[in-house]
Amino acid sequence: MEAQVHREALSRIMSRLYNKGLISAFGGNASVKLPDGTVLITPSGLNKEELNPEDLVMISPAGAVLESEKKPSSELWTHLAVYGVRPDVTAIVHAHPPTLVGLVSGGFEFGVYTPEQVVLVGELAVLDLLVGKELAQHISKIAADHKAVLVKNHGVFCWGRSLTEAYAITEILEEVAKMVVASYAAGYLMQPLSYEQREHILTTYKPTNPSR
Ligand SMILES: [Zn+2]
């Protein structure tokens, strides 16, 4: 697939994140790893609702800017750290889903609640607030066992084998967080699925595998 297609897909994903209330205008970032190992990542500081495909920044596997007048996202090192330990991952989405981040930062122990979450996300890893290369270092240690890591007081990083999968994981987590809050409004706190329930779902429930 040509880089231009990925540039357009990344611009569209940022617009979707903004329109779904998962980022603010200057917040969030996303990247795609190309077959030759280079990485396309969103720029720092621009309005993510209206990114142009040419605003995306091309990065070498070592982290050098290859061809752009724009600065890459400040979370570039975290993206490269995940790609470094997960050769199967080709896309990463970072967003600020407010319900999820609020719940977990407030000390709520977020479990696994729905069949979709069991199959497509699994357990959410949680880190205390870290930034820059320190965050990248910590995420690289846990990325092998998770598809999503929440950084308290900040946001969530989700990854997958396609940009759609990384985006869907972000959306599922916020959707489930809203279900948890809604259940509390009804006077009952929705309980996470047990280990046995999750194992049963994994062996019997097979939704379409996201490939685009
Ligand atoms: Zn952020």
Side-chain angles (χ1 to χ4, degrees):
M1 211 187 293
E2 284 185 63
Q4 183 62 22
V5 175
H6 292 295
R7 288 176 180 271
E8 288 166 9
L10 279 163
S11 306
R12 270 200 310 275
I13 281 290
M14 296 315 290
S15 173
R16 275 172 88 177
L17 287 168
Y18 178 81
N19 289 319
K20 290 280 283 187
L22 297 169
I23 56 170
S24 58
F26 293 117
N29 44 69
S31 71
V32 165
K33 190 178 80 172
L34 305 182
D36 65 0
T38 54
V39 171
L40 259 181
I41 191 164
T42 48
S44 175
L46 299 192
N47 182 357
K48 305 300 190 305
E49 186 197 4
E50 297 175 333
L51 278 185
N52 295 313
E54 59 270 25
D55 292 332
L56 276 289
V57 184
M58 186 74 90
I59 302 288
S60 78
V65 175
L66 291 176
E67 44 174 87
S68 178
E69 289 163 12
K70 307 282 189 313
K71 270 178 62 182
S73 162
S74 55
E75 307 288 4
L76 170 65
W77 298 109
T78 295
H79 288 244
L80 294 179
V82 174
Y83 290 129
V85 294
R86 289 290 302 260
D88 57 320
V89 166
T90 60
I92 301 169
V93 167
H94 166 61
H96 303 155
T99 318
L100 178 76
V101 176
L103 273 178
V104 177
S105 302
F108 186 83
E109 216 170 294
F110 196 76
V112 180
Y113 299 88
T114 66
E116 199 178 31
Q117 194 187 357
V118 170
V119 175
L120 297 178
V121 188
E123 274 184 33
L124 175 70
V126 178
L127 290 176
D128 286 332
L129 180 63
L130 295 165
V131 295
K133 289 191 175 178
E134 211 179 3
L135 173 61
Q137 197 182 15
H138 277 75
I139 283 199
S140 71
K141 287 181 195 159
I142 54 176
D145 300 321
H146 297 276
K147 290 183 181 173
V149 174
L150 186 138
V151 181
K152 285 185 180 175
N153 297 64
H154 182 186
V156 68
F157 291 82
C158 304
W159 46 84
R161 288 155 298 165
S162 69
L163 191 56
T164 302
E165 185 181 5
Y167 172 81
I169 290 170
T170 313
E171 209 175 39
I172 289 165
L173 285 168
E174 176 66 1
E175 181 182 66
V176 173
K178 285 179 182 169
M179 290 178 190
V180 171
V181 171
S183 75
Y184 194 60
Y188 165 81
L189 192 58
M190 185 163 74
Q191 293 300 296
L193 299 171
S194 67
Y195 177 77
E196 288 74 22
Q197 285 173 308
R198 288 160 53 183
E199 286 298 301
H200 182 66
I201 288 164
L202 282 172
T203 53
T204 57
Y205 178 73
K206 301 211 185 321
T208 309
N209 195 16
S211 58
R212 290 188 297 127

Short mmCIF file of all heavy atoms in Angstrom, two decimals, residues 1-14 16 30-35 39-42 51-58 67 90-91 162-164 211-212:
data_model
loop_
_atom_site.label_atom_id
_atom_site.label_comp_id
_atom_site.label_asym_id
_atom_site.label_seq_id
_atom_site.Cartn_x
_atom_site.Cartn_y
_atom_site.Cartn_z
N MET A 1 0.85 -1.20 0.00
CA MET A 1 0.00 0.00 0.00
C MET A 1 0.89 1.26 0.00
O MET A 1 1.88 1.31 0.69
CB MET A 1 -0.89 0.00 1.23
CG MET A 1 -2.22 0.67 1.00
SD MET A 1 -3.17 0.82 2.52
CE MET A 1 -3.53 -0.88 2.92
N GLU A 2 0.50 2.19 -0.79
CA GLU A 2 1.33 3.39 -0.88
C GLU A 2 1.21 4.24 0.37
O GLU A 2 0.19 4.26 1.04
CB GLU A 2 0.88 4.21 -2.08
CG GLU A 2 1.32 3.66 -3.42
CD GLU A 2 0.93 4.60 -4.53
OE1 GLU A 2 1.42 5.72 -4.53
OE2 GLU A 2 0.09 4.22 -5.35
N ALA A 3 2.28 5.00 0.63
CA ALA A 3 2.29 5.85 1.83
C ALA A 3 1.13 6.85 1.80
O ALA A 3 0.57 7.19 2.85
CB ALA A 3 3.63 6.58 1.92
N GLN A 4 0.74 7.31 0.60
CA GLN A 4 -0.33 8.30 0.50
C GLN A 4 -1.65 7.75 1.08
O GLN A 4 -2.40 8.48 1.73
CB GLN A 4 -0.52 8.71 -0.98
CG GLN A 4 -1.56 9.79 -1.20
CD GLN A 4 -1.23 11.11 -0.51
OE1 GLN A 4 -0.07 11.39 -0.19
NE2 GLN A 4 -2.25 11.92 -0.26
N VAL A 5 -1.89 6.46 0.85
CA VAL A 5 -3.11 5.84 1.38
C VAL A 5 -3.08 5.87 2.91
O VAL A 5 -4.09 6.16 3.57
CB VAL A 5 -3.23 4.38 0.87
CG1 VAL A 5 -4.43 3.67 1.49
CG2 VAL A 5 -3.33 4.37 -0.65
N HIS A 6 -1.91 5.59 3.49
CA HIS A 6 -1.78 5.62 4.95
C HIS A 6 -1.92 7.05 5.48
O HIS A 6 -2.47 7.27 6.55
CB HIS A 6 -0.43 5.03 5.37
CG HIS A 6 -0.32 3.56 5.11
ND1 HIS A 6 -1.10 2.64 5.77
CD2 HIS A 6 0.47 2.86 4.27
CE1 HIS A 6 -0.78 1.43 5.34
NE2 HIS A 6 0.15 1.53 4.43
N ARG A 7 -1.38 8.02 4.74
CA ARG A 7 -1.51 9.43 5.16
C ARG A 7 -3.00 9.80 5.25
O ARG A 7 -3.44 10.45 6.20
CB ARG A 7 -0.81 10.36 4.15
CG ARG A 7 0.69 10.29 4.20
CD ARG A 7 1.32 11.15 3.11
NE ARG A 7 2.78 11.08 3.18
CZ ARG A 7 3.54 11.89 3.90
NH1 ARG A 7 2.98 12.85 4.60
NH2 ARG A 7 4.84 11.75 3.92
N GLU A 8 -3.75 9.40 4.24
CA GLU A 8 -5.18 9.73 4.22
C GLU A 8 -5.92 9.00 5.34
O GLU A 8 -6.79 9.57 6.01
CB GLU A 8 -5.78 9.38 2.85
CG GLU A 8 -5.33 10.36 1.78
CD GLU A 8 -5.62 9.89 0.36
OE1 GLU A 8 -6.33 8.88 0.19
OE2 GLU A 8 -5.11 10.54 -0.58
N ALA A 9 -5.56 7.73 5.56
CA ALA A 9 -6.23 6.95 6.62
C ALA A 9 -5.95 7.55 8.00
O ALA A 9 -6.85 7.64 8.84
CB ALA A 9 -5.75 5.49 6.56
N LEU A 10 -4.72 7.97 8.24
CA LEU A 10 -4.37 8.57 9.54
C LEU A 10 -5.12 9.89 9.74
O LEU A 10 -5.60 10.17 10.84
CB LEU A 10 -2.86 8.80 9.63
CG LEU A 10 -2.04 7.55 10.00
CD1 LEU A 10 -0.57 7.75 9.66
CD2 LEU A 10 -2.19 7.21 11.48
N SER A 11 -5.22 10.71 8.70
CA SER A 11 -5.96 11.98 8.81
C SER A 11 -7.42 11.69 9.16
O SER A 11 -8.01 12.37 10.01
CB SER A 11 -5.91 12.75 7.49
OG SER A 11 -4.58 12.93 7.08
N ARG A 12 -7.99 10.68 8.51
CA ARG A 12 -9.41 10.33 8.76
C ARG A 12 -9.60 9.82 10.19
O ARG A 12 -10.58 10.16 10.85
CB ARG A 12 -9.86 9.24 7.79
CG ARG A 12 -10.44 9.77 6.48
CD ARG A 12 -11.31 8.70 5.79
NE ARG A 12 -10.63 7.42 5.67
CZ ARG A 12 -9.81 7.09 4.67
NH1 ARG A 12 -9.58 7.96 3.70
NH2 ARG A 12 -9.24 5.91 4.61
N ILE A 13 -8.66 8.99 10.67
CA ILE A 13 -8.78 8.44 12.03
C ILE A 13 -8.76 9.57 13.06
O ILE A 13 -9.51 9.55 14.04
CB ILE A 13 -7.64 7.42 12.29
CG1 ILE A 13 -7.95 6.09 11.63
CG2 ILE A 13 -7.39 7.23 13.80
CD1 ILE A 13 -9.08 5.27 12.25
N MET A 14 -7.89 10.57 12.88
CA MET A 14 -7.82 11.67 13.85
C MET A 14 -9.13 12.44 13.86
O MET A 14 -9.61 12.87 14.91
CB MET A 14 -6.64 12.59 13.53
CG MET A 14 -5.27 11.94 13.65
SD MET A 14 -5.03 10.93 15.15
CE MET A 14 -4.96 12.19 16.42
N ARG A 16 -12.05 11.17 13.13
CA ARG A 16 -13.04 10.31 13.81
C ARG A 16 -12.87 10.39 15.32
O ARG A 16 -13.86 10.47 16.07
CB ARG A 16 -12.86 8.84 13.39
CG ARG A 16 -13.58 8.49 12.12
CD ARG A 16 -13.22 7.10 11.65
NE ARG A 16 -14.05 6.05 12.23
CZ ARG A 16 -13.95 4.76 11.93
NH1 ARG A 16 -13.02 4.36 11.08
NH2 ARG A 16 -14.76 3.88 12.47
N ALA A 30 -1.50 9.35 16.27
CA ALA A 30 -1.63 8.00 15.72
C ALA A 30 -0.49 7.78 14.74
O ALA A 30 0.07 8.74 14.19
CB ALA A 30 -2.98 7.82 15.02
N SER A 31 -0.14 6.51 14.55
CA SER A 31 0.93 6.19 13.61
C SER A 31 0.66 4.87 12.91
O SER A 31 -0.13 4.05 13.39
CB SER A 31 2.29 6.13 14.32
OG SER A 31 2.35 4.98 15.14
N VAL A 32 1.35 4.70 11.79
CA VAL A 32 1.29 3.44 11.04
C VAL A 32 2.72 3.06 10.68
O VAL A 32 3.52 3.92 10.30
CB VAL A 32 0.44 3.62 9.74
CG1 VAL A 32 0.68 2.48 8.79
CG2 VAL A 32 -1.03 3.73 10.08
N LYS A 33 3.05 1.77 10.83
CA LYS A 33 4.37 1.28 10.41
C LYS A 33 4.26 0.70 9.00
O LYS A 33 3.41 -0.17 8.76
CB LYS A 33 4.89 0.23 11.38
CG LYS A 33 6.35 -0.14 11.13
CD LYS A 33 6.86 -1.14 12.13
CE LYS A 33 6.41 -2.54 11.75
NZ LYS A 33 7.03 -3.59 12.57
N LEU A 34 5.09 1.18 8.11
CA LEU A 34 5.07 0.71 6.72
C LEU A 34 5.95 -0.55 6.57
O LEU A 34 6.78 -0.82 7.43
CB LEU A 34 5.56 1.82 5.80
CG LEU A 34 4.79 3.15 5.93
CD1 LEU A 34 5.31 4.19 4.95
CD2 LEU A 34 3.30 2.93 5.70
N PRO A 35 5.74 -1.30 5.48
CA PRO A 35 6.48 -2.56 5.32
C PRO A 35 8.01 -2.39 5.36
O PRO A 35 8.72 -3.31 5.76
CB PRO A 35 6.03 -3.06 3.94
CG PRO A 35 4.68 -2.45 3.75
CD PRO A 35 4.73 -1.11 4.43
N VAL A 39 7.96 4.82 9.74
CA VAL A 39 6.73 5.06 10.50
C VAL A 39 6.15 6.42 10.08
O VAL A 39 6.88 7.41 10.01
CB VAL A 39 7.02 5.04 12.02
CG1 VAL A 39 5.81 5.49 12.81
CG2 VAL A 39 7.45 3.65 12.46
N LEU A 40 4.85 6.41 9.80
CA LEU A 40 4.14 7.67 9.54
C LEU A 40 3.41 8.05 10.81
O LEU A 40 2.63 7.25 11.34
CB LEU A 40 3.09 7.47 8.44
CG LEU A 40 3.38 7.90 7.03
CD1 LEU A 40 2.15 7.60 6.16
CD2 LEU A 40 3.75 9.36 6.92
N ILE A 41 3.64 9.28 11.31
CA ILE A 41 3.01 9.68 12.57
C ILE A 41 2.41 11.07 12.44
O ILE A 41 2.87 11.88 11.61
CB ILE A 41 4.03 9.61 13.75
CG1 ILE A 41 3.32 9.76 15.10
CG2 ILE A 41 5.15 10.64 13.59
CD1 ILE A 41 4.15 9.33 16.30
N THR A 42 1.37 11.32 13.23
CA THR A 42 0.72 12.64 13.18
C THR A 42 1.67 13.70 13.73
O THR A 42 2.53 13.41 14.56
CB THR A 42 -0.58 12.61 14.01
OG1 THR A 42 -0.30 12.03 15.29
CG2 THR A 42 -1.64 11.80 13.32
N LEU A 51 -6.55 17.51 9.84
CA LEU A 51 -5.20 17.26 9.33
C LEU A 51 -5.24 17.02 7.83
O LEU A 51 -6.16 16.38 7.32
CB LEU A 51 -4.63 16.00 10.00
CG LEU A 51 -4.00 16.11 11.39
CD1 LEU A 51 -3.40 14.77 11.75
CD2 LEU A 51 -2.98 17.22 11.45
N ASN A 52 -4.25 17.50 7.12
CA ASN A 52 -4.10 17.17 5.71
C ASN A 52 -3.14 15.98 5.60
O ASN A 52 -2.21 15.87 6.42
CB ASN A 52 -3.52 18.35 4.94
CG ASN A 52 -4.49 19.52 4.93
OD1 ASN A 52 -5.68 19.35 4.66
ND2 ASN A 52 -3.99 20.70 5.27
N PRO A 53 -3.34 15.13 4.60
CA PRO A 53 -2.43 13.97 4.46
C PRO A 53 -0.96 14.38 4.44
O PRO A 53 -0.11 13.67 4.97
CB PRO A 53 -2.87 13.36 3.13
CG PRO A 53 -4.32 13.72 3.02
CD PRO A 53 -4.44 15.09 3.63
N GLU A 54 -0.64 15.57 3.88
CA GLU A 54 0.77 15.99 3.80
C GLU A 54 1.31 16.49 5.14
O GLU A 54 2.51 16.73 5.28
CB GLU A 54 0.96 17.06 2.71
CG GLU A 54 0.15 18.32 2.87
CD GLU A 54 -1.22 18.23 2.18
OE1 GLU A 54 -1.74 17.10 2.00
OE2 GLU A 54 -1.76 19.30 1.86
N ASP A 55 0.43 16.64 6.15
CA ASP A 55 0.90 17.04 7.48
C ASP A 55 1.57 15.89 8.23
O ASP A 55 2.26 16.10 9.22
CB ASP A 55 -0.28 17.53 8.35
CG ASP A 55 -0.87 18.84 7.85
OD1 ASP A 55 -0.12 19.62 7.23
OD2 ASP A 55 -2.07 19.06 8.08
N LEU A 56 1.33 14.65 7.80
CA LEU A 56 1.90 13.49 8.48
C LEU A 56 3.42 13.50 8.36
O LEU A 56 3.95 13.98 7.35
CB LEU A 56 1.34 12.20 7.87
CG LEU A 56 -0.02 11.69 8.39
CD1 LEU A 56 0.14 11.17 9.81
CD2 LEU A 56 -1.12 12.73 8.35
N VAL A 57 4.10 12.99 9.36
CA VAL A 57 5.57 13.04 9.40
C VAL A 57 6.15 11.64 9.21
O VAL A 57 5.76 10.70 9.92
CB VAL A 57 6.04 13.64 10.75
CG1 VAL A 57 7.56 13.79 10.76
CG2 VAL A 57 5.38 14.98 11.00
N MET A 58 7.07 11.50 8.25
CA MET A 58 7.70 10.20 7.99
C MET A 58 8.97 10.08 8.84
O MET A 58 9.81 10.98 8.85
CB MET A 58 8.06 10.12 6.49
CG MET A 58 8.58 8.78 6.05
SD MET A 58 7.29 7.54 5.94
CE MET A 58 6.76 7.77 4.23
N GLU A 67 11.17 13.35 6.06
CA GLU A 67 10.73 14.33 5.07
C GLU A 67 9.52 15.09 5.58
O GLU A 67 8.39 14.67 5.34
CB GLU A 67 10.40 13.66 3.74
CG GLU A 67 9.58 12.39 3.90
CD GLU A 67 9.12 11.79 2.59
OE1 GLU A 67 9.88 11.01 2.01
OE2 GLU A 67 8.00 12.10 2.17
N THR A 90 1.15 -2.94 13.49
CA THR A 90 1.42 -2.00 12.39
C THR A 90 0.72 -0.66 12.58
O THR A 90 0.82 0.21 11.71
CB THR A 90 0.98 -2.58 11.03
OG1 THR A 90 -0.42 -2.86 11.09
CG2 THR A 90 1.73 -3.86 10.70
N ALA A 91 -0.02 -0.48 13.68
CA ALA A 91 -0.69 0.82 13.90
C ALA A 91 -0.91 1.06 15.39
O ALA A 91 -1.16 0.11 16.14
CB ALA A 91 -2.02 0.84 13.17
N SER A 162 -3.85 -3.38 12.35
CA SER A 162 -4.31 -2.40 11.37
C SER A 162 -4.73 -1.15 12.13
O SER A 162 -4.97 -1.20 13.35
CB SER A 162 -5.50 -2.94 10.58
OG SER A 162 -6.64 -3.04 11.44
N LEU A 163 -4.83 -0.04 11.40
CA LEU A 163 -5.26 1.21 12.03
C LEU A 163 -6.69 1.09 12.54
O LEU A 163 -7.03 1.59 13.61
CB LEU A 163 -5.14 2.34 10.99
CG LEU A 163 -5.29 3.76 11.51
CD1 LEU A 163 -4.32 4.08 12.63
CD2 LEU A 163 -5.11 4.75 10.35
N THR A 164 -7.52 0.38 11.78
CA THR A 164 -8.91 0.18 12.21
C THR A 164 -8.98 -0.59 13.53
O THR A 164 -9.77 -0.26 14.41
CB THR A 164 -9.71 -0.58 11.13
OG1 THR A 164 -9.63 0.18 9.92
CG2 THR A 164 -11.16 -0.75 11.52
N SER A 211 -9.42 -6.41 9.59
CA SER A 211 -8.23 -6.48 8.75
C SER A 211 -7.98 -5.17 8.02
O SER A 211 -6.97 -5.01 7.35
CB SER A 211 -8.38 -7.62 7.74
OG SER A 211 -9.54 -7.41 6.97
N ARG A 212 -8.89 -4.22 8.13
CA ARG A 212 -8.67 -2.96 7.42
C ARG A 212 -8.62 -1.81 8.42
O ARG A 212 -9.23 -1.87 9.45
CB ARG A 212 -9.80 -2.69 6.43
CG ARG A 212 -9.76 -3.63 5.27
CD ARG A 212 -10.75 -3.24 4.21
NE ARG A 212 -12.14 -3.30 4.70
CZ ARG A 212 -13.00 -2.32 4.63
NH1 ARG A 212 -12.65 -1.17 4.15
NH2 ARG A 212 -14.23 -2.45 5.07
#
